Amino acid sequence: MEEDARNCCAFLNTPGVYALGVYFYLEVKDMENLKNLFLSIQDNLSFVLVAAAIVVALALIAKATEHFFKDKRKISPARRVSLVAMCAAVATVLHIFDFPLPFLAPTFYKLDFSELPVLLCSFYLGPVAGVVCEAVKILLKLLVKGTSTAFVGDFANFAVGCALVLPASICYHIRKTKKTAIGGLVLGTLVMTIFGSLFNAIYLLPKFAQLYGMSLESIVAMGSDINGGITSVSTLVLYAVVPLNLIKGSLVSLLTMLLYKRIEKPIFDRFK
């Protein structure tokens, strides 16, 4: 028996058997890596599909509402494209110079005024132009600056921005008066705040944690360092996301009301 055991050990220690064992070990590791790769692709693909579905839905909503507008501005396609491109370029610059509010929210939440040119564009041309301008802004920003949030923050900026722009521009184009403009901007700010908060809690924060390789607990901890009342995703949204969206919506709305009529004729009407 002892001799058989020694022979077995000697056989197992031969170079051929050792190499075979290493080969199978590497094969198993390769299979695990391949499995992880497929899971990563699946996770990113699901994010891309969700983003594409929301982009299409927003574009369809904007297009459908324009059929009900009686007073549509007549402008050539070439000049329409030029105007959208100009507003998107300005919005991109404003988006690049975003800044955090560290006393209010974790630093990956940033405030910017890039919705201001998008709102001005949508007030002049309509909600479809607003959605297109918002999308071009994000694409230009990615080309110039790239992403620091695994594309989740960029997608969030687009979707939440449209949540402000669409209600505001739709209300204004139904009846172009100062009252409907103010009402539309107030409605847009409320829709952006509600949608942005729910979207963060249900989808964006979990997806950001997943794609960025973080835990939700670590993200909540960033909020807890700022506000002791933040102890969960829901309180992070309540005490950080909600006030941030209200501040952004209010400031951008105020600037829109101050600027739109002042620049409509000297700047926008040149594109007629």
Side-chain angles (χ1 to χ4, degrees):
M1 291 291 295
E2 293 180 1
E3 185 177 355
D4 291 340
R6 285 195 296 270
N7 291 335
C8 182
C9 290
F11 173 75
L12 292 175
N13 287 326
T14 57
V17 174
Y18 180 78
L20 187 63
V22 172
Y23 170 78
F24 279 114
Y25 173 77
L26 293 176
E27 282 292 310
V28 171
K29 292 295 291 182
D30 286 342
M31 290 297 294
E32 290 177 356
N33 292 334
L34 190 61
K35 182 180 179 181
N36 292 334
L37 177 61
F38 279 127
L39 289 175
S40 177
I41 292 174
Q42 184 179 5
D43 292 338
N44 284 278
L45 182 61
S46 66
F47 172 69
V48 171
L49 291 176
V50 169
I54 290 178
V55 170
V56 171
L58 291 171
L60 290 176
I61 291 171
K63 185 66 176 177
T65 56
E66 287 198 354
H67 289 294
F68 299 97
F69 297 160
K70 296 179 180 179
D71 184 19
K72 293 183 181 180
R73 195 178 300 276
K74 295 181 180 179
I75 185 172
S76 69
R79 292 184 176 179
R80 179 181 291 268
V81 170
S82 299
L83 185 54
V84 171
M86 180 187 71
C87 292
V90 176
T92 302
V93 174
L94 292 175
H95 188 22
I96 289 173
F97 290 102
D98 56 5
F99 55 92
L101 297 179
F103 60 88
L104 181 64
T107 54
F108 58 83
Y109 284 116
K110 296 183 179 181
L111 179 66
D112 67 81
F113 297 99
S114 62
E115 265 62 60
L116 174 59
V118 180
L119 272 171
L120 296 174
C121 177
S122 65
F123 269 35
Y124 191 76
L125 294 175
V128 171
V131 173
V132 174
C133 187
E134 190 78 42
V136 174
K137 175 197 78 174
I138 297 298
L139 292 175
L140 290 175
K141 180 264 176 184
L142 290 173
L143 289 173
V144 173
K145 193 177 179 181
T147 181
S148 59
T149 58
F151 297 101
V152 177
D154 308 293
F155 170 58
N157 188 277
F158 169 80
V160 176
C162 286
L164 168 65
V165 171
L166 278 179
S169 60
I170 290 170
C171 286
Y172 179 69
H173 281 276
I174 289 175
R175 189 177 181 185
K176 295 179 181 179
T177 65
K178 186 176 181 179
K179 287 184 178 180
T180 55
I182 295 173
L185 289 167
V186 171
L187 177 62
T189 300
L190 293 176
V191 171
M192 180 183 70
T193 302
I194 295 171
F195 171 77
S197 302
L198 294 176
F199 199 33
N200 265 273
I202 296 171
Y203 184 75
L204 291 175
L205 282 172
K207 182 58 67 173
F208 174 77
Q210 178 186 7
L211 295 179
Y212 218 67
M214 300 175 64
S215 65
L216 278 173
E217 289 75 15
S218 62
I219 295 176
V220 172
M222 294 180 188
S224 301
D225 293 339
I226 299 169
N227 185 341
I230 297 176
T231 57
S232 63
V233 171
S234 58
T235 51
L236 174 63
V237 169
L238 179 63
Y239 294 128
V241 178
V242 169
L244 188 65
N245 283 333
L246 285 174
I247 291 171
K248 178 176 180 175
S250 300
L251 291 176
V252 170
S253 297
L254 178 61
L255 290 171
T256 301
M257 289 302 301
L258 290 174
L259 292 176
Y260 179 66
K261 284 300 180 181
R262 288 176 170 82
I263 68 172
E264 181 182 14
K265 290 183 178 180
I267 297 180
F268 287 166
D269 282 353
R270 290 185 178 183
F271 288 81
K272 283 185 177 181

